[in-house]
């Protein structure tokens, strides 16, 4: 088996406040695809690796290429792959084992040995996509029409997260939906819920800028959750919403979902929270609320690519700013300022 060695530059996280653009050597096997990365979106985990040297339980032990939301162009591909050179592709960062019981039952997002790109969960870490070139499997590369901008397609991963959350909730046709937290994931959930038949979508966020984005992305109304006069009516008569997506991870928001949800309604937890929650357990059980988590995605990645390619969802209102790879530190600093930034992208061409 012949292996090619490819040199390129990539954005490596070394630890707290230490991200550098450095040389990288890739190994390309004969069954692999070489993708020239066009651009990538900065996600919360990338910001955490930069500011804290860790994202949740995943701690940086060695330098790792960050980034798991990205799209590129096929530079080399196996002959029988169906991928032409020059084809634009969205790259699915998931690399499940495909042979464990979870994978075999179609729940690849629960694969215990999932190699998710740009994640320090395992050692050695799995390098991400903030790199001039990356090596991927054929299955990871989802082709899309070359006339569609990679600015749009770099949203495929977070949109897949949003569509997975909608799938976890079940049918939204005719349902009243609340989304707490109007960051990029919350806003993409609103867009996906609107596309999935929700009759009414209310958003909350403490930031006015985020509330404006929520309206642009499909919410019929966006409220400040601390404005009790505005949100209180939705808690009356045992709650108003059929489905609540909690996309902030804020302890107070998690607790509030129980009051907002109708008896026997569903709460989908998407936001990752750090602080302990004072959860109204008794009210939750009395109202028989289904409280369910949603983590990453499975086949929803392909759906996300289709919805973006066809223009069914326009994610561009969420794009706040763009930086070159050399400006990665500025990009991460800017992305962390939630008063200014929703999604920040880095370009590699
Ligand atoms: Zn992400
Ligand atoms: Zn598996």
């Amino acid at each position: 088996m012949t292996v090619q060695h490819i040199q390129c530059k990539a954005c490596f996280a070394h630890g707290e406040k230490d991200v550098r653009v450095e040389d990288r050597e890739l190994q390309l096997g004969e069954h692999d695809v070489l993708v020239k990365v066009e651009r990538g979106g900065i996600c919360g985990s990338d910001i955490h690796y930069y500011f804290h040297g860790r994202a949740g339980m995943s701690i940086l032990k060695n330098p790792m290429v960050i980034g798991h939301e990205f799209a590129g162009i096929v530079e080399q591909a196996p002959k029988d792959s169906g991928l032409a050179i020059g084809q634009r592709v969205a790259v699915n960062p998931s690399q499940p084992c495909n042979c464990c019981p979870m994978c075999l039952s179609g729940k690849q997002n629960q694969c215990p040995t999932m190699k998710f790109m740009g994640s320090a969960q395992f050692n050695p870490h799995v390098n991400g996509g903030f790199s001039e070139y990356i090596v991927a499997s054929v299955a990871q590369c989802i082709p899309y029409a070359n006339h569609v901008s990679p600015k749009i397609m770099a949203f495929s991963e977070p949109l897949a997260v949003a569509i997975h959350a909608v799938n976890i909730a079940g049918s939204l046709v005719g349902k009243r939906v609340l989304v707490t937290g109007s960051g990029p994931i919350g806003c993409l959930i609103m867009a996906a819920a609107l596309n999935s038949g929700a009759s009414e979508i209310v958003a909350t966020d403490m930031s006015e800028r985020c509330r404006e984005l929520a309206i642009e992305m499909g919410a019929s109304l966006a409220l400040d959750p601390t404005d009790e006069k505005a949100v209180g009516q939705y808690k009356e008569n045992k709650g108003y919403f059929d489905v609540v997506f909690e996309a902030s991870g804020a302890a107070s928001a998690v607790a509030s979902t129980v009051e907002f949800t109708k008896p026997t309604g569903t709460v989908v937890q998407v936001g990752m929270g750090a602080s302990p929650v004072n959860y109204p357990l008794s009210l939750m059980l009395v109202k028989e609320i289904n409280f369910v988590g949603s983590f990453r995605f499975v086949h929803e990645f392909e759906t996300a690519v289709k919805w973006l390619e066809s223009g069914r969802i326009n994610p561009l209102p969420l794009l706040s700013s763009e930086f070159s790879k050399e400006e990665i530190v500025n990009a991460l600093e800017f992305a962390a300022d939630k008063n200014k930034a929703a999604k920040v992208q880095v370009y590699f061409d």
Side-chain angles (χ1 to χ4, degrees), residues 189-231:
I189 289 174
M190 295 164 208
L194 188 64
N195 268 279
S196 304
S199 65
E200 189 178 347
I201 300 168
V202 176
T204 61
D205 204 289
M206 272 147 75
S207 142
E208 192 182 346
R209 194 189 57 79
C210 290
R211 292 198 297 273
E212 284 168 10
L213 279 178
I215 298 292
E216 272 192 85
M217 293 304 293
S220 24
L221 185 67
L223 303 171
D224 181 344
T226 61
D227 180 357
E228 198 53 43
K229 233 166 93 188
V231 298

Side-chain angles (χ1 to χ4, degrees), residues 43 68-69 157-158 343:
C43 185
H68 59 265
E69 305 178 359
E157 196 272 348
K343 186 60 76 183

Side-chain angles (χ1 to χ4, degrees), residues 39-102:
R39 55 175 63 220
I42 292 179
C43 185
S45 63
D46 303 312
I47 296 171
H48 282 282
Y49 286 124
Y50 172 66
F51 278 96
H52 312 293
R54 62 187 292 165
M57 314 284 272
S58 306
I59 301 163
L60 279 174
K61 297 194 178 72
N62 302 297
M64 177 186 81
V65 179
I66 54 172
H68 59 265
E69 305 178 359
F70 58 100
I73 297 177
V74 174
E75 182 95 357
Q76 282 189 53
K79 267 197 204 69
D80 54 356
S81 64
L83 292 169
I85 290 163
Q87 171 69 56
R88 278 189 158 147
V89 287
V91 182
N92 186 338
S94 306
Q95 302 176 103
C97 79
N98 282 322
C99 52
C100 73
M102 278 297 158

